[in-house]
Amino acid sequence: MAAIAENWHKSKEKHNSKRRVHYFSAEYLLGRMITNNLNSLGILKEVIQLLEARGIDVNLFEAIEDIALGNGGLGRLAACFLDSAATHEIPLDGHGLRYKYGLFKQQIKDGEQHEVADDWQRFGTPWCKRRDDSTVEVTFADQKVIAVPYDMPIIGYMTDNISTLRLWQSEAVQEFDFQLFNNFEYEQAVSEKNKAENITRVLYPNENSYEGKRLRLKQQYFLCCAGITDIVRNFIKTYGNDFSRFAELNAIQLNDTHPTVAIPELIRILQDYNLPFDVAFEIARKTFSYTNHTIMSEALESWEVELFKSVIPNIYSIIVRINEKLNMVLETKSLDYEQIYRMQIIQDNRIVMANLATFVSSYVNGVAQIHTEILKKNVLKDWYAIYPERFQNKTNGITQRRFLSLCNPELTDFIAIILGSNDFIKDLSIVEGIKPFINDATAKEFATIKKQKKAQLADFIYKREGVKLSSEFIFDIQVKRLHEYKRQLMNALSILNIYYQIKDGALTDFTPTAFIFGAKAAPGYKRAKGIIKFINEVATTVNSDPLMQDLMRVVFVENYNLSYAERIMPAADVSEQISPAGTEASGTGNMKLMLNGAVTLGTYDGANIEIIQQAGFENNYIFGLRVEDIEKIKHNYNPKALYDSDSNIKRVMDSLINGAMQDTQDHSFTELYNSILYGTYWHRPDHHYILADFNSYMEAKLKANNDYKDWVEFSKKCLMNIASAGMFSSDRTIIQYAKELWHV
Ligand code: 26Q
C-alpha cells in the first residue's frame, strides 16, 4: 500500500478537480486482487521469480480469498469497468457495500448443493483502507447507523492513475451501551450493535430474481445515503454551496435499479440545502443515468408501498412528489389512459424502480444491441415513445488484463510474438492483426497451448473433484449462475441423449468430450438445485460406465467462482451459451471464452449475436429459434406433442421420472418433468423452449464435435474468434460510456 500511496492520493485529487463519474452498484465481484495488482504494476513476473528463488510456492496465492461481493454478471461487469476506467484514466470511482459475508461457498454432497458462509475477511483485508474521517450517519424510520467507508485502490494497468472503490460498512452509532451492561441487560447491550451490523452482514444471493425483503431495502438505502452524502460533502468542500454546477461536475451511473433510491436521496439532500423541489429534481435528472441488465419480469424491482414507507418514509414522500411531477408531464402529451397507468412510478401500491430510474435520468442503456432493442420495443416502450433521445446501447465487455493476460500467459505470449508487441493488453482492438497469420503452423501452435491449458485444468479438477480428464478430449464448457432460462438442463439432457445414442449404436463416430459445468444456485431456488442434482446424476451414470471410459466425461465443479473461472476459460474448446433468444441481456462469459479461443455453441441471443457478427457464423455453432420465431409459436406451443412424437426426446425426458436417476427427497426431477410437459399455475409448459430447440441444439453440438476431428481447421476457427474479440474489451465499453453518455 505504501508503494502506491502517493499515486493514489494524486489520483484522488485529480478526480476531484473536474467532471467525474461515480459508479453506484450493490455488487462488485472482484476476485483475487493480489495477482491483478502486481500485474497492473508490471511486476507480477518479477515477484513470482523472486518467490521461486526463495523456494516459496507461488501457489500460495491460491489460498488467498476471492473477493465475491457480487453474484455474477452484473457484479463482475462493475469490477471490469473499474479496471478499464483506471487503466484508461477515466475519472471514475465506485461506491458499494462491504458485506461481511460475500457470495456463499458451494459444497456438493451426494450431488446436491449446500451453502457455507463466505467469511472472506477472516485473515484481514489488506487491500482496504478504513477512513474514520469520512463516516456518514444513515437514518431509517426505526434505526440510526454509521456508514464507515473502506477504500480499495483500483490500480490502472501501467499508468499512475489509481481509482477508488469505496465500500460502506454499517456500524452502531454507539459501539456498546454500558448503562445497559451495568444493569445486567447484556443481551440488549449488544443488540443495537448487532442490529446495525446486520445491514451489511451478507450479500443477497439471488441473481436475476427480485426479492422484496426489508433488510435488502435497508442495504440499498444505506449505500445510497452514504454515497450521495459523501459526494455532496465533497462537492461543497471543493466548490462551495453553489449547486448550479453539481450536475456539470458529477455523473452518477446506476448499475441496474438496485441503487435507484439515490435519486430521491439526492433530491432530499439538495432540499435540505434549501433548493426548491423543481430545481433539485432537474439537478438529479442531469446527474443520473441508468443501466438495465434484464428483461425478465421476475427480476424487475418493485417495492410495496407499506414496507417502503415503514423503512424510509421521507424518501417515500419525495417519490410521491416525483410521481406528481411525472403526471404533470404526461398530461401535456395526450397519451391513452393505459399508457399513463403503465408509466406510473407508484402503481398498484408498489414503487416501480425502473420507472423512477428512467424518468429521473439523462440516459438509459441496455447491455447488448438486441437487449437495447427489446427495452425499446417492450419493457420500456412507453418511455421510449416519449424520450427516444435518452436511450442508448452499450454492449458489455470484459477486461483482457484479467481474462487473458493474467489467466492465460501462454496465449498472451503467443499473440504478442505474432504481433511483435503486447500493446493489446491496453488496446484489444489490435488483436485483429493476427488474422493474416492464421495458417496451419499457427493453428498447430495454438492447439499446443490449448492442450497445455487443458492439462493444467485437468490436474486441478483431479485434485479438487477427484475426476480424471484427458487433455486429448474436447473441453465443452458451461459455466454461469444456475437458472432455468440459461438451460443447463437442456445441456444435461443433450449429454444423456449422446450417451444413449452411443449405447444403442445410433452414434458411432463421437469425438471424445469432457462436459464441464460450474454453477451456483440461489439457496431458495428449488428447481435450480434440482438441476444441479440432475447434472450430477448424469455425471455418475456416464463416468461409471466402463464403455464411456475413452469417450465421455461429465464433471460438475464445486464452488465455481472467479478463480475457478480463470482456470476454466483458457481450457475451453466449446463455449455453451444456450439461453432462449431474447432472454440473456448480454452475457459476458461468452466473451471470456471467445477471447481464450473457444468457439461458441449458442443461440441468437444477447451478445452472442455480436460475437457472430465479429467472428462469423462459419467459426461458431449457432442454433435454435430466434426472437421472431418464438414470438410466432409462443401462443400454441405444445411441448407434449414433441415428447410424444420424438423418441429421443421422450427417452431423455423419461430419465427424470423412471428411476434411472436418483431424484431428490422433494422429487425435484418429477417437478422439472411436469413443468416442461404440463406447466404449472404460474407458467406455461416448457416456457424456456427446451424441447423446441432440442434437435437443433443436438445437430449443432454434434457438428462441432465432428468438425473437431480436423483439429487444425478447428483451431483456425478458434484463432478467428480471438482475432475478432477486440470489441469485447470493457475498455471499449467504458470509453463509449465516457464519450457518449457521461461526456467526460
Ligand atoms: C434484486 C433485488 C433483490 C435481491 C437481488 C436482486 C438482484 C441481484 C442481482 C437482481 C439481479 C441481479 C443480477 C443480475 C445480473 O447479473 N444480470 C446479468 O448482467 C450481466 C451484465 O450486464 C449480463 O451480461 C447478463 O446477461 C445479465 O443476466
Side-chain angles (χ1 to χ4, degrees):
M1 284 286 240
I4 59 162
E6 196 188 326
N7 280 341
W8 195 7
H9 184 73
K10 276 192 195 149
S11 303
K12 276 193 176 178
E13 296 203 318
K14 206 165 169 195
H15 288 196
N16 206 23
S17 68
K18 49 181 201 246
R19 179 167 170 80
R20 60 189 298 183
V21 186
H22 312 275
Y23 200 77
F24 270 41
S25 178
E27 306 194 4
Y28 292 89
L29 190 43
L30 297 166
R32 221 174 260 145
M33 297 306 282
I34 174 81
T35 35
N36 185 68
N37 286 343
L38 293 173
N39 193 44
S40 292
L41 295 167
I43 54 174
L44 179 61
K45 278 187 182 165
E46 224 177 299
V47 170
I48 290 176
Q49 278 163 7
L50 281 172
L51 288 174
E52 270 170 359
R54 282 161 207 211
I56 302 170
D57 187 1
V58 292
N59 288 324
L60 121 144
F61 295 144
E62 255 165 47
I64 295 170
E65 291 306 315
D66 240 73
I67 306 183
L69 308 182
N71 274 288
L74 167 146
R76 182 56 229 176
L77 185 74
C80 283
F81 283 176
L82 294 179
D83 178 85
S84 287
T87 297
H88 291 278
E89 299 178 21
I90 292 164
L92 176 147
D93 299 284
H95 284 269
L97 292 167
R98 189 165 188 265
Y99 303 106
K100 172 90 169 45
Y101 299 103
L103 184 62
F104 66 86
K105 291 189 174 172
Q106 176 190 59
Q107 286 184 353
I108 303 290
K109 284 186 190 140
D110 273 333
E112 293 182 45
Q113 168 175 299
H114 298 267
E115 301 89 25
V116 178
D118 166 46
D119 190 5
W120 68 284
Q121 302 176 14
R122 79 185 173 288
F123 301 124
T125 58
W127 295 108
C128 299
K129 179 96 188 73
R130 183 181 169 105
R131 301 265 183 219
D132 280 295
D133 55 339
S134 303
T135 60
V136 173
E137 214 171 75
V138 181
T139 308
F140 300 94
D142 58 351
Q143 190 179 17
K144 194 177 257 182
V145 299
I146 297 285
V148 183
Y150 281 74
D151 286 356
M152 276 178 104
I154 305 295
I155 305 175
Y157 178 79
M158 303 298 248
T159 152
D160 288 342
N161 186 47
I162 299 178
S163 304
T164 302
L165 172 57
R166 179 157 273 196
L167 297 172
W168 296 93
Q169 171 168 296
S170 180
E171 296 182 8
V173 179
Q174 195 186 5
E175 178 69 8
F176 193 78
D177 190 338
F178 264 104
Q179 208 60 51
L180 288 167
F181 188 77
N182 293 337
N183 291 334
F184 304 101
E185 295 175 63
Y186 304 123
E187 280 189 23
Q188 230 199 308
V190 290
S191 100
E192 272 304 302
K193 176 174 155 76
N194 285 336
K195 238 183 87 191
E197 290 174 5
N198 280 345
I199 292 176
T200 48
R201 182 89 59 202
V202 60
L203 166 76
Y204 274 86
N206 344 16
E207 200 212 45
N208 275 323
S209 98
Y210 160 75
E211 211 187 346
K213 290 278 160 56
R214 185 182 187 86
L215 184 62
R216 166 81 186 182
L217 180 59
K218 282 198 166 175
Q219 289 186 339
Q220 295 185 351
Y221 181 66
F222 174 82
L223 163 62
C224 295
C225 175
I228 297 291
T229 305
D230 189 47
I231 290 167
V232 170
R233 199 160 61 187
N234 219 22
F235 174 83
I236 292 172
K237 230 195 264 165
T238 326
Y239 302 98
N241 258 354
D242 177 12
F243 290 104
S244 64
R245 294 194 67 200
F246 185 86
E248 172 198 320
L249 288 155
N250 294 283
I252 302 177
Q253 190 67 31
L254 301 175
N255 200 17
D256 215 294
T257 53
H258 316 150
T260 297
V261 288
I263 293 172
E265 177 63 7
L266 176 61
I267 295 175
R268 181 187 74 80
I269 291 176
L270 294 178
Q271 283 183 307
D272 278 353
Y273 284 95
N274 296 319
L275 268 67
F277 174 81
D278 286 311
V279 174
F281 175 92
E282 204 41 36
I283 292 173
R285 202 192 60 73
K286 286 190 184 132
T287 303
F288 286 99
S289 289
Y290 153 54
T291 305
N292 174 291
H293 294 266
T294 188
I295 51 165
M296 308 241 302
S297 50
E298 60 265 41
L300 294 176
E301 258 192 310
S302 72
W303 292 96
E304 255 175 68
V305 165
E306 282 314 310
L307 172 77
F308 198 95
K309 270 207 284 198
S310 74
V311 177
I312 32 177
N314 47 352
I315 296 299
Y316 178 70
S317 316
I318 292 168
I319 293 176
V320 171
R321 268 310 282 274
I322 297 173
N323 203 34
E324 281 165 13
K325 182 159 182 102
L326 168 66
N327 283 323
M328 273 156 53
V329 174
L330 296 183
E331 256 174 40
T332 66
K333 309 249 173 194
S334 66
L335 306 169
D336 66 61
Y337 178 78
E338 300 208 328
Q339 181 172 357
I340 292 178
Y341 180 80
R342 286 193 302 263
M343 295 176 79
Q344 294 302 300
I345 296 168
I346 302 170
Q347 194 179 112
D348 253 351
N349 259 318
R350 304 186 74 88
I351 306 169
V352 181
M353 301 313 266
N355 286 349
L356 174 57
T358 308
F359 181 49
V360 197
S361 67
S362 298
Y363 299 103
V364 178
N365 76 283
V367 291
Q369 272 164 21
I370 184 182
H371 169 60
T372 302
E373 289 311 309
I374 292 173
L375 288 180
K376 295 197 282 197
K377 254 187 244 142
N378 305 325
V379 191
L380 298 175
K381 66 164 187 286
D382 299 319
W383 294 98
Y384 180 61
I386 309 189
Y387 300 122
E389 70 286 354
R390 287 193 192 176
F391 285 74
Q392 291 201 8
N393 175 248
K394 292 286 166 284
T395 298
N396 283 166
I398 55 162
T399 167
Q400 69 270 29
R401 264 85 57 195
R402 186 177 286 264
F403 294 108
L404 180 61
S405 119
L406 206 56
C407 70
N408 201 342
E410 297 87 344
L411 183 57
T412 306
D413 288 346
F414 168 78
I415 297 169
I417 288 167
I418 294 178
L419 294 177
S421 103
N422 56 18
D423 291 350
F424 60 96
I425 298 173
K426 246 184 145 151
D427 175 8
L428 194 62
S429 69
I430 60 186
V431 281
E432 218 193 332
I434 70 171
K435 273 188 189 164
F437 298 95
I438 300 177
N439 54 41
D440 283 9
T442 51
K444 283 178 187 164
E445 265 182 75
F446 168 79
T448 307
I449 292 168
K450 184 61 87 179
K451 203 171 152 196
Q452 194 182 348
K453 298 311 283 182
K454 289 199 267 188
Q456 290 169 8
L457 178 64
D459 278 349
F460 189 74
I461 287 183
Y462 184 60
K463 267 192 236 138
R464 289 275 284 258
E465 326 292 340
V467 181
K468 270 207 171 116
L469 302 180
S470 161
S471 58
E472 300 286 340
F473 280 31
I474 297 174
F475 278 26
D476 176 309
I477 309 269
Q478 188 175 19
V479 284
K480 49 184 78 255
R481 282 300 287 263
L482 213 133
H483 241 289
E484 288 166 90
Y485 88 84
K486 293 178 188 281
R487 298 202 293 200
Q488 282 99 344
L489 180 59
M490 183 170 83
N491 187 355
L493 293 172
S494 82
I495 294 166
L496 205 54
N497 190 41
I498 290 169
Y499 172 71
Y500 288 144
Q501 287 193 323
I502 293 175
K503 298 279 277 188
D504 72 13
L507 182 60
T508 49
D509 58 349
F510 185 72
T511 315
T513 304
F515 296 98
I516 300 169
F517 292 85
K520 286 179 181 174
Y525 190 172
K526 284 241 172 76
R527 278 190 191 166
K529 288 183 148 180
I531 293 167
I532 290 180
K533 169 71 167 164
F534 184 71
I535 295 167
N536 279 309
E537 285 297 303
V538 172
T540 305
T541 304
V542 169
N543 299 349
S544 63
D545 187 332
L547 284 172
M548 295 296 123
Q549 275 293 323
D550 304 320
L551 280 177
M552 271 172 96
R553 277 285 174 283
V554 182
V555 197
F556 185 97
V557 305
E558 187 178 63
N559 198 40
Y560 172 65
N561 60 6
L562 219 91
S563 298
Y564 226 135
E566 289 165 22
R567 295 175 178 279
I568 290 176
M569 301 304 174
D573 297 304
V574 176
S575 158
E576 299 258 2
Q577 309 299 337
I578 60 179
S579 51
T583 61
E584 190 69 272
S586 160
T588 44
N590 48 3
M591 302 168 186
K592 295 163 199 168
L593 287 155
M594 176 200 202
L595 182 58
N596 282 278
V599 301
T600 298
L601 169 55
T603 48
Y604 215 59
D605 193 26
N608 297 353
I609 297 174
E610 290 158 75
I611 286 178
I612 296 148
Q613 274 168 11
Q614 297 297 312
F617 275 95
E618 68 284 8
N619 298 310
N620 291 288
Y621 298 85
I622 303 310
F623 68 91
L625 299 170
R626 300 202 176 183
V627 171
E628 50 289 8
D629 303 324
I630 293 180
E631 224 31 70
K632 267 182 232 144
I633 68 157
K634 120 175 175 195
H635 295 291
N636 40 28
Y637 176 46
N638 183 357
K640 181 66 165 52
L642 293 174
Y643 167 90
D644 286 329
S645 64
D646 185 319
S647 59
N648 283 328
I649 288 182
K650 182 164 192 313
R651 180 166 58 179
V652 294
M653 282 296 293
D654 284 349
S655 76
L656 285 161
I657 52 154
N658 64 13
M661 309 286 161
Q662 180 158 73
D663 202 345
T664 57
Q665 286 270 312
D666 55 355
H667 310 289
S668 52
F669 296 177
T670 308
E671 210 272 326
L672 286 166
Y673 175 91
N674 287 327
S675 80
I676 292 173
L677 293 183
Y678 307 107
T680 69
Y681 69 94
W682 59 272
H683 72 75
R684 286 193 288 249
D686 194 15
H687 61 322
H688 301 300
Y689 303 95
I690 289 179
L691 303 192
D693 275 346
F694 193 77
N695 285 319
S696 161
Y697 177 46
M698 282 310 311
E699 200 184 306
K701 198 165 196 163
L702 291 175
K703 170 100 175 29
N705 181 273
N706 196 56
D707 283 359
Y708 191 87
K709 291 201 164 70
D710 187 346
W711 57 271
V712 178
E713 280 311 303
F714 193 92
S715 296
K716 289 183 191 167
K717 294 181 199 285
C718 300
L719 286 172
M720 278 302 289
N721 274 285
I722 297 170
S724 312
M727 81 156 272
F728 301 107
S729 168
S730 47
D731 298 349
R732 186 269 311 150
T733 313
I734 209 76
I735 289 167
Q736 278 186 334
Y737 274 92
K739 284 195 181 141
E740 298 161 16
L741 207 147
W742 300 322
H743 312 296
V744 287

